[in-house]
Amino acid sequence: MKQVVIWLLLLCVAGCDQAPVPAQPLPAAVDFTGDPATHPEKINDHLIHSALDSHVQACASAEALQSAIITLLDHPNPFTLAASRDAWRDSYSSFLRARLYGFLPVTDPVEWQRQGLSYHQTLSLIDSWPIEGGYIDYLPGYPFTGIVNDLTLPLSSDTLQQQHGFADPASVSLGFHVIEFLLWGSDGQRSASDYLRTETITAVAGSSSNKNTATHADNTADNHLNKDTPPGVINQDRRRQYLQLVTAQLLDHLRRLQRRWERDTGYYARLVASSTPAAALQAGMSASARLIRTELLEKRLSGNSSEFSASSQQDSLALLQGMQLWLLGSESHPGALVPLLSTTQPDLLMQWQTTLAQALTPATEAATTNAGASDTTETPAATLLIHNIEQLDTLLQQTASVLRLTLPDTH
């Protein structure tokens, strides 16, 4: 009979983000094989530290993005738009470096699921893709489409939440990729003049669900716009408001995840702290397997997650960097594998260091070489990246065998 993958115990709570009842320690599904001299209890500490640090960094980067967008709205010009785009790319990469911890085999409290606060429900509000750009704002040939141009829809946090996934999974109104579309546009060429302040504009009261049935109002905004504004671009004030709202909500949702990893009080942190080192190691290695197989090989490397900014391969790079932090760590915080393998399996540890370096190198080169390309899933660099990630999957299986761990069957 197959060994059961470790599941962190389900607790019923009444609160929003924290569990008021003690987290129960997890029974180990496997015997811990590390040398006691390596202090295996540090596995738990490292998992909590790396998860919390990654989420703190994600929130800090989102705050920097919010600051850059405020500057853009105060002074709309090509330079502040470029700075906001750079801040978006940094923020999204920072979030993806924390994505590994979402694959831990955790069952959220029932109350969170009822309230729409579970991890996967929150993830949908942060990182849904692909998205339909025309659900958000204008497209070439359709200047009156999207939520921005639907004057029948009040703009507020509540309405954006209600519109999220309203008619289709691609009907996305919240998250990183909505901000990406608002900064780049459908063709990557959005003008900063789309965010100029305007006087009251009489615009089409279009419908975000009907893109082809709009009639231009007699009183157009042409005389109110900067001479560089693209013809037909309207509702700048609503676009400005939408960008501010969606950025603020993104930060709120990221902070929700960070709170759950706070030491002593965070629900996820308490679960890991109360578990055995074997359970923590099993959970972290299972998360690594899911990241490689489900998120990278099955999803990211066959799709185009950041299509508007043409930077999808940087997404893969960030995901790998997050896994590298967990497995190999840093100088100040050695990763999970370092104390386990450095003495008894140094060659295996070196293989990890080499293979991860090889996987990250083509990802970095591809992200630079293919900047601006609309589809990078079939380039030589992308093919090499897929090969290297498959090598990581093989190496993960070898390591699990050495440590007597059971990886989840995701195929």
Side-chain angles (χ1 to χ4, degrees), residues 87-129:
W88 179 88
R89 182 63 261 179
D90 290 344
S91 182
Y92 188 44
S93 290
S94 186
F95 164 73
L96 291 176
R97 284 191 283 271
R99 184 69 182 88
L100 169 75
Y101 308 101
F103 288 100
L104 291 170
V106 176
T107 300
D108 285 326
V110 172
E111 190 63 25
W112 287 0
Q113 298 177 35
R114 290 173 179 165
Q115 296 177 10
L117 299 173
S118 73
Y119 179 86
H120 291 291
Q121 289 165 319
T122 303
L123 178 64
S124 170
L125 303 176
I126 293 173
D127 192 24
S128 287
W129 65 274

mmCIF file of all heavy atoms in Angstrom, residues 87-129:
data_model
loop_
_atom_site.group_PDB
_atom_site.id
_atom_site.type_symbol
_atom_site.label_atom_id
_atom_site.label_comp_id
_atom_site.label_asym_id
_atom_site.label_seq_id
_atom_site.Cartn_x
_atom_site.Cartn_y
_atom_site.Cartn_z
ATOM 1 N N ALA A 87 8.759 47.912 -11.661
ATOM 2 C CA ALA A 87 8.315 47.563 -10.313
ATOM 3 C C ALA A 87 7.330 46.401 -10.354
ATOM 4 O O ALA A 87 7.330 45.540 -9.462
ATOM 5 C CB ALA A 87 7.674 48.780 -9.633
ATOM 6 N N TRP A 88 6.494 46.358 -11.394
ATOM 7 C CA TRP A 88 5.571 45.225 -11.527
ATOM 8 C C TRP A 88 6.354 43.930 -11.713
ATOM 9 O O TRP A 88 6.052 42.918 -11.065
ATOM 10 C CB TRP A 88 4.628 45.417 -12.725
ATOM 11 C CG TRP A 88 3.694 44.249 -12.896
ATOM 12 C CD1 TRP A 88 2.471 44.086 -12.315
ATOM 13 C CD2 TRP A 88 3.942 43.049 -13.640
ATOM 14 N NE1 TRP A 88 1.928 42.861 -12.665
ATOM 15 C CE2 TRP A 88 2.815 42.202 -13.478
ATOM 16 C CE3 TRP A 88 4.999 42.599 -14.437
ATOM 17 C CZ2 TRP A 88 2.724 40.946 -14.078
ATOM 18 C CZ3 TRP A 88 4.917 41.339 -15.029
ATOM 19 C CH2 TRP A 88 3.792 40.530 -14.847
ATOM 20 N N ARG A 89 7.354 43.976 -12.595
ATOM 21 C CA ARG A 89 8.121 42.753 -12.858
ATOM 22 C C ARG A 89 8.843 42.287 -11.587
ATOM 23 O O ARG A 89 8.857 41.079 -11.280
ATOM 24 C CB ARG A 89 9.125 43.017 -13.982
ATOM 25 C CG ARG A 89 9.979 41.839 -14.430
ATOM 26 C CD ARG A 89 9.164 40.715 -15.010
ATOM 27 N NE ARG A 89 8.930 39.649 -14.027
ATOM 28 C CZ ARG A 89 8.216 38.552 -14.283
ATOM 29 N NH1 ARG A 89 7.635 38.395 -15.456
ATOM 30 N NH2 ARG A 89 8.061 37.639 -13.360
ATOM 31 N N ASP A 90 9.416 43.208 -10.838
ATOM 32 C CA ASP A 90 10.089 42.858 -9.580
ATOM 33 C C ASP A 90 9.099 42.286 -8.576
ATOM 34 O O ASP A 90 9.394 41.308 -7.884
ATOM 35 C CB ASP A 90 10.777 44.087 -8.988
ATOM 36 C CG ASP A 90 11.997 44.533 -9.787
ATOM 37 O OD1 ASP A 90 12.505 43.739 -10.608
ATOM 38 O OD2 ASP A 90 12.436 45.680 -9.587
ATOM 39 N N SER A 91 7.918 42.889 -8.493
ATOM 40 C CA SER A 91 6.927 42.458 -7.522
ATOM 41 C C SER A 91 6.396 41.073 -7.861
ATOM 42 O O SER A 91 6.254 40.210 -6.974
ATOM 43 C CB SER A 91 5.775 43.468 -7.467
ATOM 44 O OG SER A 91 4.822 43.091 -6.498
ATOM 45 N N TYR A 92 6.111 40.840 -9.119
ATOM 46 C CA TYR A 92 5.583 39.532 -9.502
ATOM 47 C C TYR A 92 6.631 38.433 -9.303
ATOM 48 O O TYR A 92 6.313 37.340 -8.815
ATOM 49 C CB TYR A 92 5.109 39.557 -10.950
ATOM 50 C CG TYR A 92 4.361 38.305 -11.365
ATOM 51 C CD1 TYR A 92 3.403 37.735 -10.535
ATOM 52 C CD2 TYR A 92 4.613 37.700 -12.593
ATOM 53 C CE1 TYR A 92 2.712 36.588 -10.914
ATOM 54 C CE2 TYR A 92 3.927 36.559 -12.978
ATOM 55 C CZ TYR A 92 2.979 36.003 -12.136
ATOM 56 O OH TYR A 92 2.308 34.857 -12.512
ATOM 57 N N SER A 93 7.872 38.715 -9.644
ATOM 58 C CA SER A 93 8.937 37.733 -9.412
ATOM 59 C C SER A 93 9.082 37.433 -7.927
ATOM 60 O O SER A 93 9.287 36.284 -7.530
ATOM 61 C CB SER A 93 10.266 38.245 -9.982
ATOM 62 O OG SER A 93 10.252 38.258 -11.393
ATOM 63 N N SER A 94 8.990 38.461 -7.102
ATOM 64 C CA SER A 94 9.100 38.273 -5.661
ATOM 65 C C SER A 94 7.972 37.384 -5.150
ATOM 66 O O SER A 94 8.188 36.494 -4.323
ATOM 67 C CB SER A 94 9.083 39.625 -4.953
ATOM 68 O OG SER A 94 9.317 39.479 -3.572
ATOM 69 N N PHE A 95 6.765 37.602 -5.627
ATOM 70 C CA PHE A 95 5.654 36.738 -5.235
ATOM 71 C C PHE A 95 5.890 35.296 -5.672
ATOM 72 O O PHE A 95 5.645 34.343 -4.910
ATOM 73 C CB PHE A 95 4.338 37.240 -5.836
ATOM 74 C CG PHE A 95 3.245 36.213 -5.803
ATOM 75 C CD1 PHE A 95 2.618 35.872 -4.621
ATOM 76 C CD2 PHE A 95 2.852 35.561 -6.974
ATOM 77 C CE1 PHE A 95 1.624 34.901 -4.585
ATOM 78 C CE2 PHE A 95 1.865 34.586 -6.944
ATOM 79 C CZ PHE A 95 1.247 34.261 -5.750
ATOM 80 N N LEU A 96 6.371 35.110 -6.893
ATOM 81 C CA LEU A 96 6.577 33.755 -7.395
ATOM 82 C C LEU A 96 7.656 33.014 -6.613
ATOM 83 O O LEU A 96 7.617 31.784 -6.503
ATOM 84 C CB LEU A 96 6.932 33.793 -8.884
ATOM 85 C CG LEU A 96 5.796 34.222 -9.822
ATOM 86 C CD1 LEU A 96 6.300 34.307 -11.258
ATOM 87 C CD2 LEU A 96 4.614 33.269 -9.724
ATOM 88 N N ARG A 97 8.601 33.739 -6.045
ATOM 89 C CA ARG A 97 9.617 33.087 -5.212
ATOM 90 C C ARG A 97 9.006 32.523 -3.918
ATOM 91 O O ARG A 97 9.601 31.654 -3.278
ATOM 92 C CB ARG A 97 10.756 34.062 -4.904
ATOM 93 C CG ARG A 97 11.689 34.273 -6.094
ATOM 94 C CD ARG A 97 12.944 35.024 -5.701
ATOM 95 N NE ARG A 97 12.703 36.451 -5.547
ATOM 96 C CZ ARG A 97 12.798 37.335 -6.536
ATOM 97 N NH1 ARG A 97 13.115 36.942 -7.768
ATOM 98 N NH2 ARG A 97 12.572 38.621 -6.317
ATOM 99 N N ALA A 98 7.826 33.011 -3.559
ATOM 100 C CA ALA A 98 7.112 32.478 -2.391
ATOM 101 C C ALA A 98 6.085 31.422 -2.777
ATOM 102 O O ALA A 98 5.447 30.828 -1.901
ATOM 103 C CB ALA A 98 6.416 33.615 -1.643
ATOM 104 N N ARG A 99 5.939 31.168 -4.058
ATOM 105 C CA ARG A 99 4.864 30.293 -4.539
ATOM 106 C C ARG A 99 5.040 28.845 -4.075
ATOM 107 O O ARG A 99 4.046 28.124 -3.892
ATOM 108 C CB ARG A 99 4.830 30.355 -6.066
ATOM 109 C CG ARG A 99 3.697 29.568 -6.714
ATOM 110 C CD ARG A 99 2.353 30.171 -6.451
ATOM 111 N NE ARG A 99 1.307 29.360 -7.059
ATOM 112 C CZ ARG A 99 0.711 28.325 -6.473
ATOM 113 N NH1 ARG A 99 1.056 27.987 -5.239
ATOM 114 N NH2 ARG A 99 -0.220 27.635 -7.095
ATOM 115 N N LEU A 100 6.277 28.396 -3.880
ATOM 116 C CA LEU A 100 6.548 27.029 -3.440
ATOM 117 C C LEU A 100 5.721 26.651 -2.217
ATOM 118 O O LEU A 100 5.183 25.534 -2.134
ATOM 119 C CB LEU A 100 8.034 26.872 -3.126
ATOM 120 C CG LEU A 100 8.450 25.574 -2.405
ATOM 121 C CD1 LEU A 100 8.426 24.403 -3.382
ATOM 122 C CD2 LEU A 100 9.821 25.716 -1.765
ATOM 123 N N TYR A 101 5.577 27.574 -1.274
ATOM 124 C CA TYR A 101 4.952 27.262 0.004
ATOM 125 C C TYR A 101 3.440 27.084 -0.117
ATOM 126 O O TYR A 101 2.802 26.548 0.779
ATOM 127 C CB TYR A 101 5.337 28.326 1.030
ATOM 128 C CG TYR A 101 6.833 28.492 1.056
ATOM 129 C CD1 TYR A 101 7.458 29.557 0.396
ATOM 130 C CD2 TYR A 101 7.640 27.530 1.660
ATOM 131 C CE1 TYR A 101 8.838 29.674 0.363
ATOM 132 C CE2 TYR A 101 9.028 27.645 1.629
ATOM 133 C CZ TYR A 101 9.615 28.714 0.973
ATOM 134 O OH TYR A 101 10.990 28.815 0.925
ATOM 135 N N GLY A 102 2.895 27.506 -1.241
ATOM 136 C CA GLY A 102 1.492 27.238 -1.514
ATOM 137 C C GLY A 102 1.240 25.802 -1.915
ATOM 138 O O GLY A 102 0.081 25.372 -1.972
ATOM 139 N N PHE A 103 2.310 25.049 -2.206
ATOM 140 C CA PHE A 103 2.168 23.639 -2.574
ATOM 141 C C PHE A 103 2.363 22.709 -1.390
ATOM 142 O O PHE A 103 2.311 21.485 -1.547
ATOM 143 C CB PHE A 103 3.163 23.287 -3.681
ATOM 144 C CG PHE A 103 2.806 23.879 -5.016
ATOM 145 C CD1 PHE A 103 3.435 25.027 -5.468
ATOM 146 C CD2 PHE A 103 1.835 23.303 -5.807
ATOM 147 C CE1 PHE A 103 3.109 25.590 -6.696
ATOM 148 C CE2 PHE A 103 1.494 23.851 -7.040
ATOM 149 C CZ PHE A 103 2.124 24.998 -7.484
ATOM 150 N N LEU A 104 2.609 23.262 -0.214
ATOM 151 C CA LEU A 104 2.672 22.420 0.975
ATOM 152 C C LEU A 104 1.317 21.737 1.182
ATOM 153 O O LEU A 104 0.270 22.345 0.931
ATOM 154 C CB LEU A 104 3.029 23.257 2.204
ATOM 155 C CG LEU A 104 4.447 23.820 2.258
ATOM 156 C CD1 LEU A 104 4.568 24.815 3.400
ATOM 157 C CD2 LEU A 104 5.476 22.710 2.408
ATOM 158 N N PRO A 105 1.310 20.494 1.616
ATOM 159 C CA PRO A 105 0.042 19.766 1.778
ATOM 160 C C PRO A 105 -0.727 20.233 3.012
ATOM 161 O O PRO A 105 -0.854 19.520 4.006
ATOM 162 C CB PRO A 105 0.497 18.307 1.902
ATOM 163 C CG PRO A 105 1.877 18.392 2.467
ATOM 164 C CD PRO A 105 2.483 19.641 1.891
ATOM 165 N N VAL A 106 -1.222 21.447 2.936
ATOM 166 C CA VAL A 106 -1.955 22.065 4.045
ATOM 167 C C VAL A 106 -3.445 22.079 3.726
ATOM 168 O O VAL A 106 -3.838 22.440 2.618
ATOM 169 C CB VAL A 106 -1.468 23.506 4.287
ATOM 170 C CG1 VAL A 106 -2.298 24.182 5.365
ATOM 171 C CG2 VAL A 106 0.000 23.521 4.647
ATOM 172 N N THR A 107 -4.253 21.705 4.681
ATOM 173 C CA THR A 107 -5.703 21.847 4.562
ATOM 174 C C THR A 107 -6.131 23.051 5.393
ATOM 175 O O THR A 107 -5.948 23.076 6.604
ATOM 176 C CB THR A 107 -6.429 20.591 5.065
ATOM 177 O OG1 THR A 107 -5.999 19.467 4.287
ATOM 178 C CG2 THR A 107 -7.934 20.753 4.904
ATOM 179 N N ASP A 108 -6.672 24.054 4.733
ATOM 180 C CA ASP A 108 -7.086 25.267 5.437
ATOM 181 C C ASP A 108 -8.323 25.001 6.287
ATOM 182 O O ASP A 108 -9.115 24.093 6.002
ATOM 183 C CB ASP A 108 -7.389 26.383 4.442
ATOM 184 C CG ASP A 108 -6.132 26.992 3.858
ATOM 185 O OD1 ASP A 108 -5.126 27.077 4.589
ATOM 186 O OD2 ASP A 108 -6.147 27.391 2.675
ATOM 187 N N PRO A 109 -8.518 25.797 7.329
ATOM 188 C CA PRO A 109 -9.737 25.668 8.145
ATOM 189 C C PRO A 109 -10.999 25.828 7.303
ATOM 190 O O PRO A 109 -11.040 26.610 6.351
ATOM 191 C CB PRO A 109 -9.597 26.805 9.163
ATOM 192 C CG PRO A 109 -8.128 27.050 9.248
ATOM 193 C CD PRO A 109 -7.606 26.808 7.868
ATOM 194 N N VAL A 110 -12.031 25.106 7.665
ATOM 195 C CA VAL A 110 -13.304 25.152 6.943
ATOM 196 C C VAL A 110 -13.853 26.574 6.889
ATOM 197 O O VAL A 110 -14.395 27.016 5.875
ATOM 198 C CB VAL A 110 -14.328 24.204 7.601
ATOM 199 C CG1 VAL A 110 -15.715 24.390 6.986
ATOM 200 C CG2 VAL A 110 -13.876 22.758 7.458
ATOM 201 N N GLU A 111 -13.692 27.308 7.989
ATOM 202 C CA GLU A 111 -14.232 28.663 8.045
ATOM 203 C C GLU A 111 -13.598 29.560 6.990
ATOM 204 O O GLU A 111 -14.271 30.417 6.405
ATOM 205 C CB GLU A 111 -14.026 29.246 9.444
ATOM 206 C CG GLU A 111 -14.772 30.556 9.692
ATOM 207 C CD GLU A 111 -16.274 30.393 9.617
ATOM 208 O OE1 GLU A 111 -16.775 29.274 9.839
ATOM 209 O OE2 GLU A 111 -16.949 31.394 9.317
ATOM 210 N N TRP A 112 -12.294 29.383 6.750
ATOM 211 C CA TRP A 112 -11.646 30.171 5.695
ATOM 212 C C TRP A 112 -12.267 29.869 4.345
ATOM 213 O O TRP A 112 -12.488 30.771 3.530
ATOM 214 C CB TRP A 112 -10.147 29.853 5.648
ATOM 215 C CG TRP A 112 -9.373 30.430 6.792
ATOM 216 C CD1 TRP A 112 -9.836 31.185 7.826
ATOM 217 C CD2 TRP A 112 -7.961 30.295 6.999
ATOM 218 N NE1 TRP A 112 -8.815 31.524 8.667
ATOM 219 C CE2 TRP A 112 -7.654 30.995 8.185
ATOM 220 C CE3 TRP A 112 -6.944 29.634 6.312
ATOM 221 C CZ2 TRP A 112 -6.356 31.055 8.691
ATOM 222 C CZ3 TRP A 112 -5.645 29.699 6.810
ATOM 223 C CH2 TRP A 112 -5.365 30.408 7.991
ATOM 224 N N GLN A 113 -12.509 28.606 4.075
ATOM 225 C CA GLN A 113 -13.083 28.234 2.791
ATOM 226 C C GLN A 113 -14.475 28.816 2.622
ATOM 227 O O GLN A 113 -14.847 29.276 1.533
ATOM 228 C CB GLN A 113 -13.101 26.709 2.675
ATOM 229 C CG GLN A 113 -11.700 26.087 2.729
ATOM 230 C CD GLN A 113 -11.710 24.578 2.696
ATOM 231 O OE1 GLN A 113 -12.546 23.976 2.040
ATOM 232 N NE2 GLN A 113 -10.795 23.953 3.418
ATOM 233 N N ARG A 114 -15.250 28.821 3.700
ATOM 234 C CA ARG A 114 -16.598 29.400 3.631
ATOM 235 C C ARG A 114 -16.550 30.892 3.361
ATOM 236 O O ARG A 114 -17.423 31.445 2.685
ATOM 237 C CB ARG A 114 -17.344 29.137 4.935
ATOM 238 C CG ARG A 114 -17.727 27.672 5.156
ATOM 239 C CD ARG A 114 -18.308 27.476 6.542
ATOM 240 N NE ARG A 114 -18.703 26.085 6.773
ATOM 241 C CZ ARG A 114 -18.975 25.577 7.962
ATOM 242 N NH1 ARG A 114 -18.911 26.359 9.045
ATOM 243 N NH2 ARG A 114 -19.315 24.307 8.079
ATOM 244 N N GLN A 115 -15.542 31.553 3.892
ATOM 245 C CA GLN A 115 -15.422 33.008 3.745
ATOM 246 C C GLN A 115 -14.625 33.415 2.515
ATOM 247 O O GLN A 115 -14.428 34.599 2.270
ATOM 248 C CB GLN A 115 -14.762 33.596 4.994
ATOM 249 C CG GLN A 115 -15.571 33.421 6.261
ATOM 250 C CD GLN A 115 -14.849 33.960 7.488
ATOM 251 O OE1 GLN A 115 -13.830 34.631 7.387
ATOM 252 N NE2 GLN A 115 -15.374 33.656 8.661
ATOM 253 N N GLY A 116 -14.171 32.447 1.715
ATOM 254 C CA GLY A 116 -13.371 32.762 0.535
ATOM 255 C C GLY A 116 -11.960 33.188 0.868
ATOM 256 O O GLY A 116 -11.345 33.948 0.112
ATOM 257 N N LEU A 117 -11.426 32.694 2.004
ATOM 258 C CA LEU A 117 -10.117 33.120 2.475
ATOM 259 C C LEU A 117 -9.062 32.016 2.402
ATOM 260 O O LEU A 117 -7.940 32.211 2.874
ATOM 261 C CB LEU A 117 -10.213 33.601 3.929
ATOM 262 C CG LEU A 117 -11.131 34.794 4.195
ATOM 263 C CD1 LEU A 117 -11.262 35.034 5.694
ATOM 264 C CD2 LEU A 117 -10.613 36.029 3.488
ATOM 265 N N SER A 118 -9.386 30.871 1.832
ATOM 266 C CA SER A 118 -8.414 29.790 1.760
ATOM 267 C C SER A 118 -7.246 30.195 0.868
ATOM 268 O O SER A 118 -7.314 31.185 0.125
ATOM 269 C CB SER A 118 -9.061 28.522 1.201
ATOM 270 O OG SER A 118 -9.303 28.656 -0.187
ATOM 271 N N TYR A 119 -6.175 29.400 0.926
ATOM 272 C CA TYR A 119 -5.007 29.747 0.113
ATOM 273 C C TYR A 119 -5.361 29.788 -1.361
ATOM 274 O O TYR A 119 -5.015 30.749 -2.065
ATOM 275 C CB TYR A 119 -3.864 28.755 0.335
ATOM 276 C CG TYR A 119 -2.656 29.095 -0.519
ATOM 277 C CD1 TYR A 119 -1.713 30.014 -0.076
ATOM 278 C CD2 TYR A 119 -2.498 28.555 -1.790
ATOM 279 C CE1 TYR A 119 -0.636 30.381 -0.876
ATOM 280 C CE2 TYR A 119 -1.431 28.907 -2.590
ATOM 281 C CZ TYR A 119 -0.491 29.814 -2.132
ATOM 282 O OH TYR A 119 0.572 30.167 -2.930
ATOM 283 N N HIS A 120 -6.031 28.772 -1.846
ATOM 284 C CA HIS A 120 -6.310 28.709 -3.284
ATOM 285 C C HIS A 120 -7.306 29.784 -3.715
ATOM 286 O O HIS A 120 -7.208 30.305 -4.838
ATOM 287 C CB HIS A 120 -6.803 27.315 -3.655
ATOM 288 C CG HIS A 120 -5.741 26.271 -3.554
ATOM 289 N ND1 HIS A 120 -4.662 26.221 -4.418
ATOM 290 C CD2 HIS A 120 -5.549 25.262 -2.669
ATOM 291 C CE1 HIS A 120 -3.864 25.213 -4.084
ATOM 292 N NE2 HIS A 120 -4.375 24.626 -3.027
ATOM 293 N N GLN A 121 -8.237 30.142 -2.842
ATOM 294 C CA GLN A 121 -9.141 31.244 -3.166
ATOM 295 C C GLN A 121 -8.388 32.573 -3.195
ATOM 296 O O GLN A 121 -8.633 33.417 -4.061
ATOM 297 C CB GLN A 121 -10.278 31.288 -2.140
ATOM 298 C CG GLN A 121 -11.264 30.131 -2.273
ATOM 299 C CD GLN A 121 -12.157 29.980 -1.059
ATOM 300 O OE1 GLN A 121 -11.720 30.115 0.086
ATOM 301 N NE2 GLN A 121 -13.435 29.691 -1.286
ATOM 302 N N THR A 122 -7.455 32.746 -2.270
ATOM 303 C CA THR A 122 -6.635 33.960 -2.260
ATOM 304 C C THR A 122 -5.707 33.991 -3.463
ATOM 305 O O THR A 122 -5.507 35.051 -4.088
ATOM 306 C CB THR A 122 -5.826 34.046 -0.960
ATOM 307 O OG1 THR A 122 -6.724 34.010 0.162
ATOM 308 C CG2 THR A 122 -5.009 35.332 -0.903
ATOM 309 N N LEU A 123 -5.135 32.843 -3.811
ATOM 310 C CA LEU A 123 -4.261 32.768 -4.982
ATOM 311 C C LEU A 123 -4.987 33.198 -6.247
ATOM 312 O O LEU A 123 -4.414 33.887 -7.104
ATOM 313 C CB LEU A 123 -3.725 31.343 -5.143
ATOM 314 C CG LEU A 123 -2.818 31.090 -6.350
ATOM 315 C CD1 LEU A 123 -1.532 31.903 -6.239
ATOM 316 C CD2 LEU A 123 -2.504 29.607 -6.478
ATOM 317 N N SER A 124 -6.259 32.835 -6.357
ATOM 318 C CA SER A 124 -7.044 33.244 -7.523
ATOM 319 C C SER A 124 -7.147 34.760 -7.628
ATOM 320 O O SER A 124 -7.173 35.321 -8.730
ATOM 321 C CB SER A 124 -8.452 32.640 -7.441
ATOM 322 O OG SER A 124 -9.311 33.195 -8.417
ATOM 323 N N LEU A 125 -7.189 35.431 -6.480
ATOM 324 C CA LEU A 125 -7.282 36.891 -6.473
ATOM 325 C C LEU A 125 -5.937 37.553 -6.770
ATOM 326 O O LEU A 125 -5.893 38.734 -7.120
ATOM 327 C CB LEU A 125 -7.795 37.371 -5.115
ATOM 328 C CG LEU A 125 -9.144 36.806 -4.656
ATOM 329 C CD1 LEU A 125 -9.458 37.292 -3.250
ATOM 330 C CD2 LEU A 125 -10.251 37.178 -5.630
ATOM 331 N N ILE A 126 -4.859 36.786 -6.643
ATOM 332 C CA ILE A 126 -3.515 37.329 -6.826
ATOM 333 C C ILE A 126 -2.943 36.999 -8.193
ATOM 334 O O ILE A 126 -2.331 37.849 -8.850
ATOM 335 C CB ILE A 126 -2.569 36.784 -5.730
ATOM 336 C CG1 ILE A 126 -2.973 37.313 -4.355
ATOM 337 C CG2 ILE A 126 -1.103 37.145 -6.023
ATOM 338 C CD1 ILE A 126 -2.203 36.682 -3.202
ATOM 339 N N ASP A 127 -3.144 35.762 -8.652
ATOM 340 C CA ASP A 127 -2.365 35.272 -9.796
ATOM 341 C C ASP A 127 -3.191 34.436 -10.760
ATOM 342 O O ASP A 127 -2.792 33.341 -11.144
ATOM 343 C CB ASP A 127 -1.161 34.460 -9.280
ATOM 344 C CG ASP A 127 -0.140 34.160 -10.369
ATOM 345 O OD1 ASP A 127 -0.085 34.914 -11.364
ATOM 346 O OD2 ASP A 127 0.603 33.169 -10.234
ATOM 347 N N SER A 128 -4.353 34.935 -11.172
ATOM 348 C CA SER A 128 -5.142 34.242 -12.190
ATOM 349 C C SER A 128 -4.623 34.584 -13.578
ATOM 350 O O SER A 128 -4.402 35.759 -13.897
ATOM 351 C CB SER A 128 -6.624 34.633 -12.086
ATOM 352 O OG SER A 128 -7.230 34.056 -10.964
ATOM 353 N N TRP A 129 -4.446 33.575 -14.392
ATOM 354 C CA TRP A 129 -4.060 33.735 -15.798
ATOM 355 C C TRP A 129 -4.397 32.450 -16.535
ATOM 356 O O TRP A 129 -4.488 31.402 -15.894
ATOM 357 C CB TRP A 129 -2.565 34.092 -15.924
ATOM 358 C CG TRP A 129 -1.629 33.003 -15.457
ATOM 359 C CD1 TRP A 129 -1.185 32.778 -14.185
ATOM 360 C CD2 TRP A 129 -1.044 31.972 -16.260
ATOM 361 N NE1 TRP A 129 -0.375 31.675 -14.144
ATOM 362 C CE2 TRP A 129 -0.257 31.161 -15.407
ATOM 363 C CE3 TRP A 129 -1.106 31.642 -17.619
ATOM 364 C CZ2 TRP A 129 0.450 30.046 -15.868
ATOM 365 C CZ3 TRP A 129 -0.385 30.535 -18.074
ATOM 366 C CH2 TRP A 129 0.379 29.748 -17.209
#
